[in-house]
Amino acid sequence: MKPALLPALLPALVATLMLCTPAFGADKTWIANVKLVSPERLDRIETGSVLIEGGRIARVERGPSRPAPAGASVVDGKGYYLTPGLIDSHVHLHVVPGMSMEQGASGDSLARAYFLQLPRSFLYYGFTTVIDLAVSDYGMIERLRKEPLHPDVFHCGEALVLANGYPMSFFSPDKRFQSFGNYLFDPAMPTVVPAQFAPSAHTVAAGVARVAKAGGICVKTHFERGFGAERNLPVMSRAKFAEVRAAVTQAGKVLITHANSFEAQSFAVAGGADVLAHGMWHWGALNGQAGLPQEIKALLDKIVDQRTGYQPTMQVLYGLRAYVEPGYLDDPALRKVVPAALLAWFSTPQGQWFKPEVTDGEEDAAVMQGMEGPLRRQRAVVAYLAGRDANFVFGSDTPSSPTYGNLPGLNGYREMRQLHAAGMSLAQIFKAATMNNARTFGLDRELGSIEVGKAANLLLLKTSPLDDISAYDSVVTVWVRGQQTAREALAADYK
């Protein structure tokens, strides 16, 4: 550079250096005057302070607040409650609630607006970590991770789906094999595979390897005979499931099985599944019994003794009920997690396209009544497991189907309310959404509690989650990897 040019360029050079160099202390945050609520120390809910440095928890002090470390910005917690960020271990990020798969993937402006708001909606209700159980679009995962504000995202890769079984069965035979690249061929099942899709490329080993290569932390399988018009779908043989169990163990992953019936959960527990994705709302021949049958109690005892992870996902049925629930779309809470234009579209004839599939020709009141039986059975199972302190792992199944009744963030909060009403204690719900999830999915060295060295994924709440379930709707501030955001700035209707 010529010396004569230096005076003219100096202001620009200084400005550039100021943009590239973080302000002194910007990487340190001292959260003081808070009550610490962490799952590993629920016996010590006391005033304390936390230092965040480099996106991690650098210090945890219990007792009266001390002066802030040199160079740290200070957050006065006003006597509120500081907790770990919440983990939702059952989401489906590629789906736009209320839209068909084709609509959601079309690039429509409503879909684009939804995906922009999606990460903020999870954060609005304190979910700083989500786990996608069945990836359909890896690009969606990467786009979400690149958003300026987003929860930590983990996934199970493409689900290990039995050829022609659930959920491949939703697609026509000429499209299902293109849509599910990680299908599993089981010679024990009399099912047709098109000639161009060689079964030899769809062994258990190949399927688990695909998940591992894609960075999955878990492998999802299914035991589902079907519902509605399809009730005789092929399901995995015990021998094939044992092969899956062995391969998943060897790969160091977590085995999750979609199972919502007594038969399915019996199969998965006998085969050693790590997590049961869904509650038990189908009891088969035992459906009509008023109390909890002894046969089901015996299975639930095994689930408790084996410490199998249990995701009740009660909002699945409530999500379907949204189409026949008076006033659902008028709830002000929806405006916080869904862009206004999409919320308005839900009320249009086009936005109601999924209702006929939910009602199947029945009146709204009859549909509501028809769901009471499955919900009663599900509540009975949750209450029994809660009484035995089972290994609940929190998952909301957002969204469980093309319904607008499972909205990101809000669906998780409503799941918590339903779990509490069913019999889970506030402490059980808190642990399920923090440490239980972290341990079960192998993330506990990084997440799940307020401990030195862990990621600074934290929530400031006005109310303790051990005092009232509504605490999860009292978030004031969210930190993800040390990045601080006020809750109101995360709302879809924020101006």
Side-chain angles (χ1 to χ4, degrees):
M1 180 182 294
K2 295 181 179 179
L5 294 177
L6 187 57
L9 293 177
L10 189 57
L13 289 171
V14 171
T16 302
L17 287 171
M18 290 178 66
L19 288 172
C20 296
T21 305
F24 181 72
D27 197 35
K28 288 184 180 181
T29 302
W30 180 246
I31 308 172
N33 190 26
V34 290
K35 294 175 184 175
L36 302 176
V37 185
S38 193
E40 85 289 358
R41 304 193 75 172
L42 292 185
D43 59 327
R44 292 190 63 184
I45 310 303
E46 55 192 337
T47 299
S49 304
V50 171
L51 176 65
I52 299 173
E53 189 169 2
R56 296 195 169 272
I57 299 170
R59 189 192 307 175
V60 179
E61 294 189 0
R62 296 176 180 270
S65 295
R66 299 181 183 180
S73 59
V74 178
V75 173
D76 181 358
K78 299 181 180 180
Y80 293 159
Y81 297 84
L82 191 72
T83 76
L86 306 176
I87 303 171
D88 188 338
S89 61
H90 192 153
V91 303
H92 301 287
L93 298 172
H94 65 283
V95 180
V96 180
M99 285 190 170
S100 67
M101 294 288 289
E102 292 76 17
Q103 286 175 304
S106 67
D108 177 273
S109 61
L110 295 178
R112 292 200 307 271
Y114 168 80
F115 284 125
L116 284 174
Q117 174 60 32
L118 172 63
R120 306 171 75 90
S121 295
F122 279 116
L123 295 175
Y124 184 84
Y125 277 97
F127 293 101
T128 58
T129 301
V130 296
I131 304 176
D132 192 321
L133 292 197
V135 178
S136 176
D137 177 7
Y138 285 109
M140 177 63 211
I141 301 290
E142 292 310 311
R143 288 191 293 274
L144 191 60
R145 287 172 172 169
K146 290 177 181 177
E147 288 294 320
L149 286 172
H150 64 85
D152 286 340
V153 181
F154 298 91
H155 64 82
C156 297
E158 294 177 84
L160 198 58
V161 178
L162 185 65
N164 294 309
Y166 177 91
M168 288 182 76
S169 55
F170 289 122
F171 292 71
S172 61
D174 62 323
K175 294 181 179 179
R176 63 181 56 157
F177 288 90
Q178 292 95 328
S179 301
F180 291 86
N182 209 23
Y183 80 83
L184 175 64
F185 179 72
D186 187 348
M189 297 295 105
T191 183
V192 177
V193 178
Q196 67 268 35
F197 298 99
S200 60
H202 292 274
T203 62
V204 168
V208 173
R210 289 188 190 99
V211 172
K213 184 178 180 180
I217 64 170
C218 39
V219 174
K220 187 182 182 185
T221 57
H222 306 80
F223 188 101
E224 176 63 73
R225 293 195 184 277
F227 41 84
E230 293 186 334
R231 296 179 181 271
N232 295 294
L233 299 177
V235 293
M236 203 176 297
S237 65
R238 291 190 181 277
K240 187 58 64 174
F241 193 79
E243 192 179 339
V244 172
R245 173 70 275 179
V248 173
T249 299
Q250 185 176 10
K253 308 300 179 185
V254 179
L255 177 58
I256 303 169
T257 301
H258 162 109
N260 56 44
S261 68
F262 176 44
E263 179 194 21
Q265 294 195 5
S266 298
F267 175 91
V269 170
D274 296 310
V275 177
L276 300 179
H278 297 304
M280 191 194 303
W281 52 78
H282 299 303
W283 295 357
L286 303 172
N287 272 351
Q289 294 201 18
L292 196 61
Q294 288 301 319
E295 299 94 322
I296 292 179
K297 287 182 181 179
L299 173 61
L300 298 180
D301 287 340
K302 290 181 181 178
I303 290 171
V304 172
D305 294 340
Q306 294 178 190
R307 304 305 294 164
T308 304
Y310 204 87
Q311 292 180 341
T313 63
M314 298 189 72
Q315 274 297 116
V316 170
L317 295 180
Y318 285 100
L320 295 174
R321 277 189 13 163
Y323 286 89
V324 295
E325 184 179 322
Y328 170 80
L329 290 175
D330 298 325
D331 188 337
L334 274 61
R335 297 198 293 268
K336 301 298 181 181
V337 296
V338 178
L342 180 58
L343 184 58
W345 180 81
F346 289 158
S347 297
T348 67
Q350 296 83 1
Q352 292 285 310
W353 71 274
F354 190 55
K355 182 175 180 178
E357 296 194 32
V358 173
T359 59
D360 196 25
E362 292 188 332
E363 296 294 326
D364 290 4
V367 174
M368 292 276 283
Q369 182 60 38
M371 291 185 183
E372 282 306 311
L375 285 169
R376 173 187 61 80
R377 293 188 286 272
Q378 195 174 23
R379 293 187 196 109
V381 168
V382 170
Y384 185 84
L385 289 173
R388 291 217 52 204
D389 201 21
N391 180 30
F392 287 105
V393 291
F394 182 84
S396 65
D397 197 3
T398 300
S400 61
S401 63
T403 173
Y404 54 52
N406 297 143
L407 300 174
L410 177 62
N411 195 49
Y413 174 54
R414 289 183 168 175
E415 175 76 12
M416 289 174 162
R417 298 190 71 92
Q418 295 299 340
L419 293 174
H420 189 44
M424 282 181 65
S425 71
L426 293 170
Q428 286 174 326
I429 292 170
F430 179 62
K431 289 190 288 187
T434 54
M435 184 57 80
N436 287 8
N437 255 338
R439 285 176 177 162
T440 300
F441 286 88
L443 303 173
D444 50 312
R445 295 183 64 180
E446 185 80 357
L447 304 169
S449 60
I450 304 176
E451 297 182 85
V452 172
K454 292 194 175 185
N457 288 9
L458 301 166
L459 306 177
L460 186 64
L461 309 176
K462 291 182 180 178
T463 308
S464 170
L466 303 180
D467 290 340
D468 197 302
I469 197 67
S470 65
Y472 297 105
D473 196 20
S474 74
V475 177
V476 177
T477 308
V478 179
W479 286 269
V480 182
R481 303 281 164 170
Q483 184 178 2
Q484 177 180 332
T485 308
R487 186 199 197 194
E488 62 265 23
L490 297 165
D493 61 359
Y494 178 70
K495 303 299 183 184

